[in-house]
Amino acid sequence: MATLLVTGGAGFIGSNFVHHVVAHTDHRVVVLDKLTYAGNRASLDGLPADRVELVVGDIADADLVDALFARVDAVVHYAAESHNDNSLHDPRPFLDTNIIGTYTLLEAARRHDRRLHHISTDEVYGDLELDDPRRFTESTPYNPSSPYSSTKAGSDLLVRAWVRSFGVRATISNCSNNYGPYQHVEKFIPRQITNVIRGIRPKLYGAGENVRDWIHADDHSSAVLTILDKGEIGQTYLIGADGEKDNKEVVELILSLFGQSPDAYDHVTDRPGHDLRYAIDSTKLRTELGWTPAYQDFETGLKATIDWYRDNEAWWAPAKDGVEAFYASKGQ
Ligand code: NAD
Ligand code: TDX
């Protein structure tokens, strides 16, 4: 039994991880989350109070971080500004949280000699052509495109430097696109599901040919626990579930699962600098650490996700109108 500090544990993937830890281990969890627009206390509802504690605060607050590191055994760092579209509109919070926030945690890990796992993204590798036979591996050169992905790339490099220069006991994982419950309605899949529930037509950027490599958030959580348990200090592990789909296919599948015509969507203004394709080769994680994803079939995971949004309108409804107004102002 250990106590884990989970930064960003009230966000999408962080809260899925906290639920996973409570269900599959006997660890205690302290969540440190600033509750930005993307954080939601309700994502932790129903979890036992003797296992999960929420501390509302900023990962860039060195005094607070210091006090929390003193009372935990290990740290899993999810907190970030995470949305590419927002980073094109206002990059500053991405630098504050993704760079300065990660630096603050690394300095605390160094002072307190705590094990740290840093959560990152496949977007640090840039994008691939649609017909490129290669997928990203741990040795693919960094080539980020957006303010979001460049700050995530910067945070990864800080972690590597703190391991090498100061002996911080850290690992890194770079995961592909997640879907599942508790994802903010600004993101692609929940936006389209909640559009259909509200009677709004789904919105596809550009031609919809861009490919994302989908993994269920619960599989991301099991991979992170595996790395915490068996990962080698200083190593990077890519997490993916062989789930490549283009955006058009995903929108058509969502519409079909709602019993609607698969072409009942609109093409809208494309994202500037829109990455074409991400694809992960997770052989290292699978062969060296023995991890396999539980959701092998995207349609099954997507159906369960649609059911969750149907059953939890009170969770997402407060953010929906504001998000749609923001997108409408950009022709999206
Ligand atoms: P999210 O935006 O849903 O959640 C981020 C959480 O961090 C929120 O709860 C927010 O309140 C909190 N936060 C933001 N700034 C903070 C600060 N300064 N101090 C404390 N808390 C703060 O993001 P997500 O999609 O759950 O992503 C979580 C992590 O996983 C990020 O590091 C992201 O880069 C990475 N990632 C995401 C995906 C994906 O598909 N969403 C894929 C790969 C990696
Ligand atoms: O309304 C939309 N229509 C649309 O076609 C939205 C919101 C998105 N898209 C497209 C853009 C992307 O090609 O769908 C794809 C997925 O978009 P997002 O959900 O914004 O995700 P993406 O930009 O791929 O980044 C996500 O995966 C990697 C996460 O937001 C990042 O945090 C993570 O690092």
Side-chain angles (χ1 to χ4, degrees), residues 206-219:
E209 284 170 353
N210 307 65
V211 170
R212 297 296 182 264
D213 188 354
W214 295 100
I215 180 173
H216 194 281
D218 200 51
D219 282 330

PDB file of all heavy atoms in Angstrom, residues 206-219:
ATOM      1  N   GLY A 206     -12.126  20.445 -41.584  1.00  0.00           N
ATOM      2  CA  GLY A 206     -11.602  20.173 -42.930  1.00  0.00           C
ATOM      3  C   GLY A 206     -12.294  18.975 -43.557  1.00  0.00           C
ATOM      4  O   GLY A 206     -13.504  18.766 -43.388  1.00  0.00           O
ATOM      5  N   ALA A 207     -11.497  18.158 -44.256  1.00  0.00           N
ATOM      6  CA  ALA A 207     -12.060  17.000 -44.962  1.00  0.00           C
ATOM      7  C   ALA A 207     -12.268  15.806 -44.023  1.00  0.00           C
ATOM      8  O   ALA A 207     -12.902  14.818 -44.394  1.00  0.00           O
ATOM      9  CB  ALA A 207     -11.130  16.611 -46.107  1.00  0.00           C
ATOM     10  N   GLY A 208     -11.711  15.878 -42.802  1.00  0.00           N
ATOM     11  CA  GLY A 208     -11.894  14.773 -41.857  1.00  0.00           C
ATOM     12  C   GLY A 208     -10.973  13.595 -42.121  1.00  0.00           C
ATOM     13  O   GLY A 208     -11.202  12.486 -41.643  1.00  0.00           O
ATOM     14  N   GLU A 209      -9.887  13.838 -42.887  1.00  0.00           N
ATOM     15  CA  GLU A 209      -8.968  12.732 -43.223  1.00  0.00           C
ATOM     16  C   GLU A 209      -7.913  12.481 -42.150  1.00  0.00           C
ATOM     17  O   GLU A 209      -7.164  11.510 -42.226  1.00  0.00           O
ATOM     18  CB  GLU A 209      -8.239  13.061 -44.536  1.00  0.00           C
ATOM     19  CG  GLU A 209      -9.117  12.865 -45.740  1.00  0.00           C
ATOM     20  CD  GLU A 209      -8.482  13.405 -47.003  1.00  0.00           C
ATOM     21  OE1 GLU A 209      -7.417  14.048 -46.927  1.00  0.00           O
ATOM     22  OE2 GLU A 209      -9.074  13.182 -48.070  1.00  0.00           O
ATOM     23  N   ASN A 210      -7.832  13.396 -41.173  1.00  0.00           N
ATOM     24  CA  ASN A 210      -6.790  13.271 -40.143  1.00  0.00           C
ATOM     25  C   ASN A 210      -7.017  12.004 -39.325  1.00  0.00           C
ATOM     26  O   ASN A 210      -8.146  11.691 -38.948  1.00  0.00           O
ATOM     27  CB  ASN A 210      -6.815  14.500 -39.232  1.00  0.00           C
ATOM     28  CG  ASN A 210      -6.737  15.776 -40.038  1.00  0.00           C
ATOM     29  OD1 ASN A 210      -7.665  16.073 -40.797  1.00  0.00           O
ATOM     30  ND2 ASN A 210      -5.656  16.493 -39.916  1.00  0.00           N
ATOM     31  N   VAL A 211      -5.908  11.322 -39.034  1.00  0.00           N
ATOM     32  CA  VAL A 211      -5.988  10.038 -38.330  1.00  0.00           C
ATOM     33  C   VAL A 211      -5.494  10.187 -36.894  1.00  0.00           C
ATOM     34  O   VAL A 211      -4.436  10.781 -36.653  1.00  0.00           O
ATOM     35  CB  VAL A 211      -5.139   8.978 -39.079  1.00  0.00           C
ATOM     36  CG1 VAL A 211      -5.007   7.701 -38.257  1.00  0.00           C
ATOM     37  CG2 VAL A 211      -5.755   8.686 -40.436  1.00  0.00           C
ATOM     38  N   ARG A 212      -6.261   9.637 -35.955  1.00  0.00           N
ATOM     39  CA  ARG A 212      -5.849   9.564 -34.561  1.00  0.00           C
ATOM     40  C   ARG A 212      -5.847   8.092 -34.149  1.00  0.00           C
ATOM     41  O   ARG A 212      -6.598   7.290 -34.688  1.00  0.00           O
ATOM     42  CB  ARG A 212      -6.797  10.377 -33.656  1.00  0.00           C
ATOM     43  CG  ARG A 212      -6.796  11.900 -33.972  1.00  0.00           C
ATOM     44  CD  ARG A 212      -5.435  12.511 -33.687  1.00  0.00           C
ATOM     45  NE  ARG A 212      -5.319  13.957 -33.902  1.00  0.00           N
ATOM     46  CZ  ARG A 212      -4.840  14.509 -35.021  1.00  0.00           C
ATOM     47  NH1 ARG A 212      -4.469  13.758 -36.042  1.00  0.00           N
ATOM     48  NH2 ARG A 212      -4.700  15.828 -35.104  1.00  0.00           N
ATOM     49  N   ASP A 213      -5.021   7.750 -33.155  1.00  0.00           N
ATOM     50  CA  ASP A 213      -4.824   6.355 -32.745  1.00  0.00           C
ATOM     51  C   ASP A 213      -5.493   6.196 -31.378  1.00  0.00           C
ATOM     52  O   ASP A 213      -4.892   6.503 -30.350  1.00  0.00           O
ATOM     53  CB  ASP A 213      -3.297   6.106 -32.677  1.00  0.00           C
ATOM     54  CG  ASP A 213      -2.946   4.657 -32.453  1.00  0.00           C
ATOM     55  OD1 ASP A 213      -3.859   3.845 -32.233  1.00  0.00           O
ATOM     56  OD2 ASP A 213      -1.741   4.343 -32.488  1.00  0.00           O
ATOM     57  N   TRP A 214      -6.750   5.733 -31.360  1.00  0.00           N
ATOM     58  CA  TRP A 214      -7.572   5.818 -30.152  1.00  0.00           C
ATOM     59  C   TRP A 214      -7.290   4.710 -29.151  1.00  0.00           C
ATOM     60  O   TRP A 214      -7.137   3.547 -29.514  1.00  0.00           O
ATOM     61  CB  TRP A 214      -9.061   5.820 -30.535  1.00  0.00           C
ATOM     62  CG  TRP A 214      -9.418   7.050 -31.311  1.00  0.00           C
ATOM     63  CD1 TRP A 214      -9.564   7.172 -32.664  1.00  0.00           C
ATOM     64  CD2 TRP A 214      -9.617   8.377 -30.777  1.00  0.00           C
ATOM     65  NE1 TRP A 214      -9.849   8.477 -33.002  1.00  0.00           N
ATOM     66  CE2 TRP A 214      -9.896   9.237 -31.876  1.00  0.00           C
ATOM     67  CE3 TRP A 214      -9.601   8.922 -29.489  1.00  0.00           C
ATOM     68  CZ2 TRP A 214     -10.142  10.605 -31.711  1.00  0.00           C
ATOM     69  CZ3 TRP A 214      -9.851  10.277 -29.334  1.00  0.00           C
ATOM     70  CH2 TRP A 214     -10.116  11.098 -30.428  1.00  0.00           C
ATOM     71  N   ILE A 215      -7.240   5.110 -27.868  1.00  0.00           N
ATOM     72  CA  ILE A 215      -7.085   4.151 -26.760  1.00  0.00           C
ATOM     73  C   ILE A 215      -8.090   4.545 -25.681  1.00  0.00           C
ATOM     74  O   ILE A 215      -8.305   5.743 -25.423  1.00  0.00           O
ATOM     75  CB  ILE A 215      -5.632   4.161 -26.201  1.00  0.00           C
ATOM     76  CG1 ILE A 215      -5.471   3.171 -25.043  1.00  0.00           C
ATOM     77  CG2 ILE A 215      -5.201   5.549 -25.759  1.00  0.00           C
ATOM     78  CD1 ILE A 215      -4.018   3.002 -24.550  1.00  0.00           C
ATOM     79  N   HIS A 216      -8.707   3.542 -25.052  1.00  0.00           N
ATOM     80  CA  HIS A 216      -9.631   3.842 -23.948  1.00  0.00           C
ATOM     81  C   HIS A 216      -8.820   4.318 -22.737  1.00  0.00           C
ATOM     82  O   HIS A 216      -7.753   3.763 -22.437  1.00  0.00           O
ATOM     83  CB  HIS A 216     -10.454   2.597 -23.588  1.00  0.00           C
ATOM     84  CG  HIS A 216     -11.630   2.930 -22.723  1.00  0.00           C
ATOM     85  ND1 HIS A 216     -11.521   3.149 -21.366  1.00  0.00           N
ATOM     86  CD2 HIS A 216     -12.940   3.128 -23.030  1.00  0.00           C
ATOM     87  CE1 HIS A 216     -12.722   3.450 -20.870  1.00  0.00           C
ATOM     88  NE2 HIS A 216     -13.604   3.441 -21.870  1.00  0.00           N
ATOM     89  N   ALA A 217      -9.354   5.337 -22.033  1.00  0.00           N
ATOM     90  CA  ALA A 217      -8.615   5.916 -20.901  1.00  0.00           C
ATOM     91  C   ALA A 217      -8.308   4.869 -19.825  1.00  0.00           C
ATOM     92  O   ALA A 217      -7.280   4.967 -19.133  1.00  0.00           O
ATOM     93  CB  ALA A 217      -9.423   7.075 -20.300  1.00  0.00           C
ATOM     94  N   ASP A 218      -9.155   3.853 -19.679  1.00  0.00           N
ATOM     95  CA  ASP A 218      -8.887   2.834 -18.663  1.00  0.00           C
ATOM     96  C   ASP A 218      -7.646   2.009 -19.031  1.00  0.00           C
ATOM     97  O   ASP A 218      -6.893   1.585 -18.149  1.00  0.00           O
ATOM     98  CB  ASP A 218     -10.119   1.933 -18.500  1.00  0.00           C
ATOM     99  CG  ASP A 218     -10.078   1.201 -17.165  1.00  0.00           C
ATOM    100  OD1 ASP A 218      -9.889   1.859 -16.118  1.00  0.00           O
ATOM    101  OD2 ASP A 218     -10.205  -0.045 -17.173  1.00  0.00           O
ATOM    102  N   ASP A 219      -7.418   1.812 -20.314  1.00  0.00           N
ATOM    103  CA  ASP A 219      -6.197   1.113 -20.748  1.00  0.00           C
ATOM    104  C   ASP A 219      -4.964   1.992 -20.524  1.00  0.00           C
ATOM    105  O   ASP A 219      -3.889   1.478 -20.187  1.00  0.00           O
ATOM    106  CB  ASP A 219      -6.310   0.703 -22.223  1.00  0.00           C
ATOM    107  CG  ASP A 219      -7.178  -0.543 -22.400  1.00  0.00           C
ATOM    108  OD1 ASP A 219      -7.206  -1.377 -21.483  1.00  0.00           O
ATOM    109  OD2 ASP A 219      -7.836  -0.665 -23.449  1.00  0.00           O
TER     110      ASP A 219
END
